[in-house]
Amino acid sequence: MAVAAVVGTLLVAVGRVPAMAAPKAPADAVSAVKYTAAERREALAYWTPARIKAVGKSVDLGRTGPKSRPWRGATMKTVGRLFFVNADGADSWCTATAVRSANRSVVMTAGHCVRRPASPVNTYMDLVFVPGYHKGAQPYGAFPVRAAMTPRTWAEDAVNDVAALAVDPDAKGRRLTDVVGGQTVDFHHRVGGRTVALGYPATRPQRGEELLHCTGTAKRAPSDEQSVPCDMGGGSSGGPWLTDFDAATGQGVLVSVNSHGDGMTAGMHMFGPVLGAVAKQAYGRAERG
């Protein structure tokens, strides 16, 4: 993985090589990837409990850092693991969050959890979101991704590491946020204030099986990013940054997502994009997707 820009694209030497999508003409600021009904069924069948267990055991990024602590507040129904097969054909995972939307089916995560940066044809396959994942349990089911939207600058220039996904209903026909609720998104939040970052890092002993969190004050960083004190490693990518957060209810306002750390595997700070108009456009496309 490109460590300087990526946290959660975990490489595991198993999986199928995904087909390469043809690049689209730059019609707007958003780059879209869509998956057929057959591909979505295949994704659900692919991510068996045994495969999920195996991908976690296959990655060890060292011990969990002192700033990253297991979440012990209200059940975080909206936050879960996003499983996928990356452009190298390797089984991987990130973290993602159900958010409020008109179609009740939108998930926010990092751009590098959907496609390789600055490489428009290298998109990922078999994307499935499992909200509330905990030690093998899938208490709210699994939701295959039918469309993924990233800023075109991420697909072409590795800038603005954010993505919005539209997911199918679950096996019972229920839409995502009807099942787990959704976080509010603020695309124009002023950087600063107490922020909680959450994720499923591949550090031990958790190895992606438990939700961890860091809490600190967000600060402006170069390259239109922001940072919080946090040492979560790979696998936490795409996890939400929540402000105005109520630990008793698990609700807050999503203002960014985990993008990368300042070290080879994590570091002392986590960085995330400052959301804005283009991220809002990606969300809007997913809301209609």
Side-chain angles (χ1 to χ4, degrees):
M1 67 181 179
V3 177
V6 179
V7 167
T9 304
L10 307 174
L11 306 183
V12 183
V14 291
R16 294 174 287 108
V17 176
M20 295 303 181
K24 296 183 178 181
D28 56 32
V30 176
S31 183
V33 180
K34 296 185 178 181
Y35 303 95
T36 67
E39 288 171 333
R40 280 135 44 199
R41 289 193 299 270
E42 188 176 61
L44 280 176
Y46 185 76
W47 286 107
T48 63
R51 187 174 292 277
I52 289 172
K53 186 175 182 179
V55 72
K57 286 187 173 182
S58 298
V59 184
D60 183 351
L61 297 182
R63 292 202 60 82
T64 297
K67 296 181 183 296
S68 303
R69 299 182 179 181
W71 176 250
R72 296 290 184 256
T75 301
M76 293 299 296
K77 297 180 180 181
T78 59
V79 183
R81 288 175 81 180
L82 175 69
F83 298 99
F84 58 93
V85 177
N86 68 23
D88 295 313
D91 287 3
S92 305
W93 83 86
C94 277
T95 304
T97 309
V99 297
R100 296 179 183 178
S101 62
N103 64 1
R104 310 195 300 281
S105 302
V106 174
V107 173
M108 299 297 294
T109 189
H112 74 260
C113 299
V114 172
R115 64 192 316 151
R116 182 172 290 167
S119 183
V121 300
N122 284 312
T123 57
Y124 302 161
M125 296 293 290
D126 296 320
L127 279 74
V128 173
F129 177 56
V130 181
Y133 182 93
H134 183 73
K135 296 184 176 180
Q138 302 183 30
Y140 311 107
F143 297 78
V145 175
R146 64 173 180 263
M149 315 296 174
T150 60
R152 192 166 296 279
T153 53
W154 179 254
E156 298 179 354
D157 303 308
V159 175
N160 204 354
D161 188 11
V162 65
L165 317 179
V167 299
D168 275 350
D170 67 7
K172 297 180 180 179
R174 301 173 299 177
R175 297 189 187 187
L176 175 62
T177 60
D178 291 340
V179 178
V180 301
Q183 303 289 345
T184 300
V185 186
D186 186 347
F187 291 98
H188 302 289
H189 177 78
R190 184 175 180 178
V191 175
R194 184 177 183 273
T195 302
V196 178
L198 299 114
Y200 289 88
T203 49
R204 62 177 185 271
Q206 292 84 14
R207 305 283 284 274
E209 290 295 307
E210 293 183 63
L211 183 65
L212 304 186
H213 77 288
C214 300
T215 301
T217 300
K219 295 183 178 180
R220 176 73 69 166
S223 303
D224 208 23
E225 289 189 315
Q226 51 189 313
S227 71
V228 292
C230 190
D231 52 14
M232 285 193 291
S236 67
S237 290
W241 291 23
L242 301 175
T243 63
D244 298 327
F245 182 66
D246 185 344
T249 64
Q251 289 292 311
V253 178
L254 189 149
V255 297
S256 188
V257 297
N258 297 325
S259 176
H260 64 96
D262 54 9
M264 288 300 291
T265 57
M268 297 306 294
H269 291 83
M270 180 72 75
F271 293 80
V274 175
L275 304 183
V278 177
K280 188 174 183 179
Q281 287 181 41
Y283 163 88
R285 289 277 293 277
E287 194 175 39
R288 300 188 296 273

